[in-house]
Amino acid sequence: MDFSIINGTPFVTRESTGKTLYLAHHRVVRDAVIAFENINEPGGSVYDRPLLTPSETDSTLAEP
């Protein structure tokens, strides 16, 4: 894993493996790399905000 420091906070910028991954349905992945681009520190605190805006008429649950 590679990290970058943005405004004093570490963020994952790249994950990689030199191993072979054997996935379902006979899929094989070699030398997998996951990279994150355009990483920005979020504005304001995410802890004080709900993931979804509550609605008075909606009683269902939804994934964010």
Side-chain angles (χ1 to χ4, degrees), residues 9-33:
T9 304
F11 289 89
V12 175
T13 52
R14 184 176 179 269
E15 298 178 48
S16 64
T17 181
K19 302 285 184 179
T20 300
L21 304 175
Y22 297 94
L23 307 175
H25 307 291
H26 304 287
R27 292 182 293 169
V28 177
V29 178
R30 292 179 177 86
D31 301 318
V33 174

Side-chain angles (χ1 to χ4, degrees), residues 8 25 39 45-46 54 58:
H25 307 291
I39 299 171
S45 173
V46 296
D58 187 9

